[in-house]
Amino acid sequence: MIVASNIAMQFGAQPLFSDVSVKFGGGNRYGLIGANGCGKSTFMKILGGELEPSAGTVAIDANERVGRLRQDQFAYEDERVLDVVLQGHAEMWAAMRERDAIYADPDADEKAFMHAAELEAKYAEYGGYTSESRAGELLLGLGVAIEQHNGPMSAVAPGWKLRVLLAQALFGDPDILLLDEPTNNLDINSIRWLEEVLEARTSTMVIISHDRHFLSAVCTHMADVDYGGIKVYPGSYDDYMEASTLAKQQLQKDNAKAKDRISDLEDFVRRFRAHKAKARQATSRMKMIEKLKPEDVKPSSRQYPYIRFQIDPKEKLHRLAVEVQGLAKGYGEKKLIDKFNISIEAGEKIAIIGPNGIGKTTLLRCLANNLEVNAGTVKWSEKARLGYWPQDPVDEFRGAENVKDESLADWLGRWRRKDRPEQDDLIVRATLGQLLFSGDDQKKSLKVISGGEGQRMLIGKLVLQMPNVMLLDEPTNHLDMESIESLNTALDKYTGTLIFVSHDREFVSSLATRIIELRPGKKPGAAAQVMDFQGNYEDYLAEAGSELAAA
């Protein structure tokens, strides 16, 4: 068990949270949830001993081992990938290193070799003789190719290094496991694999994630970081949403009743305080007023942006939106897409899924006409007005580098439609306000905004562009759950044609009317196989085979 008592954390004048006391134990799996900036990662670092709180203590039961997902992906560049994973079991790794040092010492004496024998026994007890095969299985489950296992971390691509660190956290099978955004950089199949691994473990876990499906599939409790504290709810994310909503509604009802009762009592006191016969009753009611003080409702850190994607009725597409014939794209000897054909009807909502590196982003960029194809044609309807959302917001803002300190308002104003004179400065600022950029926030420079703020800026661009076709590449990246839910609702109501790449199964399941899956080619270096599933995500799972359907 890990117990946080009276934890407070303050950066500058504003406290992040104060007097937080919470217990995590019993082999339960806790989803640590809350808005971006509320302090989830900070609290996780306090639990893991990486940060000292401003006040309070963290206690861990004796003999319990703690494992955590490290974020310093470039800290092991010169080390073998398998060795990085093995370090997840600190005691086994230390015994092995000490034993090997004795064996390598030409001056080691009999006493040293006796100690080496003890270390050998410890190493065996920790499962050292099967450690490399177990570490390799974890890496393969996370999609790290076997040919990389004995190579250096420097040869592993950024993003994929985080998969190695996730394997490291899982390898030691600790009693307490702290995972901050473990699904980042994972594709749908890897996330599904991770769910199965975590469900089979008996560790007490604290997990931060914005993947609603993942939280509901894995977690037994939700630890909600809000109102300056942390409150634990039993059940899945959906259970939490229902319980927290009911609790808030009940508090509001109780407060309303208390205020009505106080008003009645105050009215009695005003009327009869001067009457000797009623003076005692008036005094009694004044004491009742003091006891009926409504409970203070602190402001929530959660904010839901208002998002609405509109289409000019004159630009509504009918029948065919785009026809693709013989599309091919690759880089050098590596083929990604080859002989790809597809017809997309107006109004379809298509999810492109598949493992990382398979070519999903490349395909989307080819469809968006911002990447030159090697062969084939992409023919959009004459009335098609495309809106594109890149995977990394920085890609969209690079064009502003020459404008030294372009503000959010100035940048968004560049995307006003010239044929819509009603989109004046007030509309731009109102759009920013709806996306939770108010007051001085709108004057901020593009260069200092966070990933989540960058994503909301891209939403604002699409809102003003009013495209009848949207192509979105991982739109939920960096967004908190409130923003994801608002975006999900807006896209569900969107009447245009939607093509998007996502690893968020809740997002895919709620939106897609058709699934395009890219699978590895049958031979090394071959282009991806393209599977076209007519129907929603559940239809895809059923049609894709029993292995996927059981997930």
Side-chain angles (χ1 to χ4, degrees):
M1 179 176 287
I2 185 167
V3 180
S5 302
N6 308 116
I7 297 293
M9 196 67 189
Q10 186 159 339
F11 297 105
Q14 186 66 29
L16 198 56
F17 38 75
S18 59
D19 199 26
V20 170
S21 296
V22 63
K23 298 178 182 179
F24 302 112
N28 294 320
R29 300 186 291 266
Y30 302 84
L32 192 63
I33 58 175
N36 283 351
C38 72
K40 300 186 297 294
S41 292
T42 298
F43 188 73
M44 185 77 91
K45 288 177 181 176
I46 291 172
L47 292 180
E50 296 174 77
L51 271 181
E52 283 290 328
S54 304
T57 60
V58 174
I60 300 171
D61 286 358
N63 302 319
E64 288 205 337
R65 292 186 300 111
V66 178
R68 59 186 175 88
L69 173 56
R70 300 176 182 274
Q71 303 295 329
D72 49 349
Q73 59 175 313
F74 296 102
Y76 302 90
E77 291 296 87
D78 297 329
E79 299 189 47
R80 188 176 67 134
V81 169
L82 277 172
D83 287 341
V84 175
V85 179
L86 296 180
Q87 290 174 51
H89 196 309
E91 293 80 5
M92 186 201 76
W93 179 253
M96 183 188 75
R97 292 294 293 265
E98 189 177 357
R99 177 205 65 185
D100 291 348
I102 292 172
Y103 289 155
D105 183 2
D107 298 323
D109 56 19
E110 185 178 348
K111 183 179 179 181
F113 281 112
M114 289 292 290
H115 183 51
E118 293 172 358
L119 293 170
E120 198 78 65
K122 277 188 177 181
Y123 182 68
E125 182 184 340
Y126 293 138
Y129 294 111
T130 61
S131 59
E132 289 206 2
S133 64
R134 289 184 286 116
E137 288 176 7
L138 287 172
L139 289 169
L140 287 173
L142 288 165
V144 180
I146 194 167
E147 52 267 24
Q148 291 189 306
H149 294 187
N150 284 296
M153 277 287 280
S154 58
V156 180
W160 289 82
K161 295 179 196 289
L162 290 173
R163 297 188 182 212
V164 178
L165 295 184
L166 178 55
Q168 180 192 75
L170 296 171
F171 175 75
D173 197 13
D175 303 291
I176 298 167
L177 185 57
L178 308 176
L179 300 175
D180 190 349
E181 295 288 2
T183 62
N184 276 4
N185 299 289
L186 297 186
D187 54 58
I188 281 181
N189 289 334
S190 297
I191 294 172
R192 186 182 294 112
W193 173 88
L194 179 60
E195 286 176 359
E196 293 173 356
V197 168
L198 295 181
E199 287 175 9
R201 300 287 178 99
T202 58
S203 309
T204 294
M205 302 180 197
V206 183
I207 304 169
I208 296 174
S209 178
H210 291 148
D211 186 323
R212 297 161 291 174
H213 188 286
F214 177 77
L215 287 174
S216 289
V218 170
C219 295
T220 60
H221 295 69
M222 293 294 141
D224 182 30
V225 183
D226 201 4
Y227 305 106
I230 298 178
K231 184 174 181 180
V232 176
Y233 294 83
S236 68
Y237 180 74
D238 291 338
D239 296 330
Y240 148 75
M241 287 293 291
E242 183 177 354
S244 62
T245 301
L246 288 173
K248 186 175 180 180
Q249 290 174 347
Q250 187 60 50
L251 178 59
Q252 290 172 339
K253 286 181 181 179
D254 291 345
N255 278 352
K257 287 181 180 178
K259 288 176 181 177
D260 288 343
R261 180 63 175 147
I262 288 170
S263 179
D264 292 341
L265 293 171
E266 287 175 338
D267 183 55
F268 183 92
V269 171
R270 278 194 302 271
R271 287 165 55 201
F272 297 110
R273 183 162 36 191
H275 291 255
K276 290 184 180 181
K278 301 266 188 174
R280 183 175 294 177
Q281 291 177 324
T283 301
S284 174
R285 280 161 173 74
M286 288 175 69
K287 291 179 180 178
M288 290 173 65
I289 290 172
E290 292 176 7
K291 293 178 181 179
L292 280 172
K293 184 179 179 182
E295 186 175 339
D296 290 335
V297 180
K298 295 179 181 178
S300 172
S301 60
R302 285 185 165 84
Q303 291 182 292
Y304 290 82
Y306 175 79
I307 305 171
R308 186 181 178 190
F309 298 113
Q310 292 181 295
I311 294 173
D312 188 327
K314 300 173 185 175
E315 297 174 349
K316 186 174 177 64
L317 299 183
H318 301 281
R319 292 193 237 171
L320 203 61
V322 65
E323 187 168 11
V324 180
Q325 293 185 335
L327 190 150
K329 181 62 183 176
Y331 299 93
E333 297 292 318
K334 185 174 176 58
K335 287 184 178 180
L336 291 174
I337 311 294
D338 193 32
K339 298 177 182 177
F340 176 64
N341 302 300
I342 192 172
S343 295
I344 298 175
E345 297 291 328
E348 284 196 273
K349 293 180 178 177
I350 298 176
I352 302 174
I353 64 173
N356 287 346
I358 196 75
K360 302 184 299 297
T361 291
T362 297
L363 175 57
L364 195 71
R365 290 184 63 194
C366 289
L367 294 177
N369 290 328
N370 75 356
L371 188 63
E372 187 177 347
V373 302
N374 297 138
T377 59
V378 177
K379 187 177 180 182
W380 285 97
S381 167
E382 189 177 335
K383 281 187 175 182
R385 178 185 282 272
L386 308 187
Y388 177 66
W389 180 329
Q391 187 177 118
D392 188 347
V394 173
D395 293 342
E396 190 71 19
F397 302 142
R398 282 195 180 114
E401 285 298 316
N402 294 328
V403 183
K404 189 172 182 182
D405 281 314
E406 189 171 30
S407 70
L408 304 191
D410 289 340
W411 182 85
L412 192 61
R414 289 204 272 130
W415 299 104
R416 287 181 293 185
R417 285 182 52 164
K418 293 181 174 58
D419 62 338
R420 309 283 297 195
E422 70 276 13
Q423 288 188 351
D424 56 14
D425 286 342
L426 289 177
I427 293 297
V428 171
R429 296 189 180 280
T431 301
L432 283 168
Q434 290 168 348
L435 295 172
L436 309 181
F437 297 105
S438 57
D440 290 340
D441 285 344
Q442 299 185 6
K443 301 175 185 176
K444 282 202 305 189
S445 168
L446 284 172
K447 296 180 181 180
V448 300
I449 61 176
S450 67
E453 289 173 327
Q455 295 290 64
R456 283 187 274 130
M457 289 296 292
L458 295 184
I459 292 172
K461 170 190 167 183
L462 292 173
V463 167
L464 292 182
Q465 283 184 320
M466 301 174 65
N468 51 24
V469 177
M470 290 202 288
L471 302 102
L472 317 180
D473 195 354
E474 294 285 1
T476 61
N477 280 358
H478 305 294
L479 293 179
D480 56 25
M481 286 189 181
E482 292 70 39
S483 296
I484 291 172
E485 289 174 17
S486 295
L487 177 62
N488 210 146
T489 300
L491 291 174
D492 185 51
K493 294 179 179 179
Y494 176 60
T495 58
T497 305
L498 177 65
I499 306 171
F500 65 99
V501 174
S502 180
H503 297 309
D504 185 325
R505 282 164 296 164
E506 187 76 21
F507 196 74
V508 172
S509 180
S510 63
L511 291 174
T513 59
R514 184 176 176 184
I515 307 289
I516 301 296
E517 183 191 12
L518 302 187
R519 294 180 179 175
K522 293 181 179 179
K523 297 179 181 179
Q529 301 178 75
V530 181
M531 317 301 291
D532 189 353
F533 295 90
Q534 298 285 343
N536 60 26
Y537 187 63
E538 285 66 35
D539 297 331
Y540 154 77
L541 289 177
E543 191 174 336
S546 57
E547 181 181 348
L548 290 174

